[in-house]
Amino acid sequence: MLLGKLLGGDVSGAGYGAGHEGDVTQNEGLEPMNPVNVERECVVDVMFTGPQRPSFGDVFLLCGDENPSFPPTDPRWGSLDHLRFEQVDDYFAVLDEETDDPVIWLYPLVRGSVVHHHPGPFEGLRLRYDPELDGSGMVAHFADIVERLADLLPTQALWGQRREPLGPPIVADTLATSVQRFVDTGEWRHQA
């Protein structure tokens, strides 16, 4: 468990709560890392900070079509149809081009929670990248999606469980580097 020793904590897959709060091991030449701070998912919440918030019909425009039951209120969302979202179950996803597995998920947020069958308006959108299903190398695409959604309306993008602010502005290359570092550490393999 060299990685566990390097990180100064439990990487057994016991989840975010692994170890004891404040239990930090000192490692020569490395900063200590509390295991509760290790990210196990690649998640960015794009939270809308202005009065304008998207409805289900607006978000559906990401798929390239209008939903006849939920007309859009803001046609600007249609300018992002090149991001390749499709409706999958109750949410939206970008599929791997080779396997058709959903690699990037988009979930609407209301009062800080993921909702389904909700007309909106939404206070934010959660984007989740799944490196295990990514056979096409979609890290840069994930970062581009975050940047474009954050640029559409006034927003604050928040990274991971600790909800670390990203920007503004969001710089896709910088975010892609952070996501790639997340993928390379392999911590996502130890999800609870």
Side-chain angles (χ1 to χ4, degrees):
M1 294 294 281
L2 176 61
L3 182 59
K5 289 180 181 177
L6 289 175
L7 293 176
D10 176 20
V11 291
S12 66
Y16 285 116
H20 300 284
E21 191 70 39
D23 180 10
V24 178
T25 304
Q26 295 296 328
N27 295 298
E28 190 174 324
L30 294 174
E31 288 210 19
M33 180 180 283
N34 187 328
V36 247
N37 291 333
V38 175
E39 293 294 337
R40 303 267 199 279
E41 289 186 295
C42 185
V43 175
V44 174
D45 286 350
V46 178
M47 305 302 293
F48 303 105
T49 58
Q52 188 172 6
R53 303 200 172 181
S55 67
F56 180 83
D58 297 328
V59 176
F60 196 88
L61 289 174
L62 294 173
C63 299
D65 295 311
E66 286 189 25
N67 184 309
S69 301
F70 299 93
T73 60
D74 185 348
R76 292 179 294 171
W77 287 83
S79 69
L80 301 179
D81 63 352
H82 66 283
L83 296 176
R84 301 186 358 233
F85 277 100
E86 299 179 28
Q87 188 172 16
V88 177
D89 297 325
D90 293 326
Y91 305 108
F92 301 92
V94 177
L95 307 181
D96 184 280
E97 292 176 337
E98 297 173 14
T99 64
D100 284 339
D101 288 328
V103 175
I104 300 170
W105 284 96
L106 183 148
Y107 306 101
L109 298 173
V110 173
R111 290 188 289 266
S113 297
V114 171
V115 294
H116 62 278
H117 301 293
H118 195 290
F122 305 121
E123 72 176 9
L125 300 172
R126 175 164 296 158
L127 293 156
R128 182 179 180 276
Y129 167 71
D130 187 343
E132 188 170 15
L133 298 177
D134 185 3
S136 303
M138 296 178 71
V139 168
H141 189 63
F142 176 78
D144 185 50
I145 289 170
V146 173
E147 179 183 39
R148 298 206 184 260
L149 289 175
D151 287 347
L152 191 63
L153 295 173
T155 61
Q156 173 65 63
L158 305 167
W159 168 270
Q161 158 188 324
R162 293 174 284 172
R163 300 181 59 78
E164 295 175 22
L166 301 171
I170 302 294
V171 179
D173 291 342
T174 304
L175 179 56
T177 299
S178 296
V179 173
Q180 190 61 55
R181 188 171 30 248
F182 164 83
V183 171
D184 292 344
T185 65
E187 285 305 310
W188 51 272
R189 291 183 179 99
H190 304 286
Q191 293 183 42

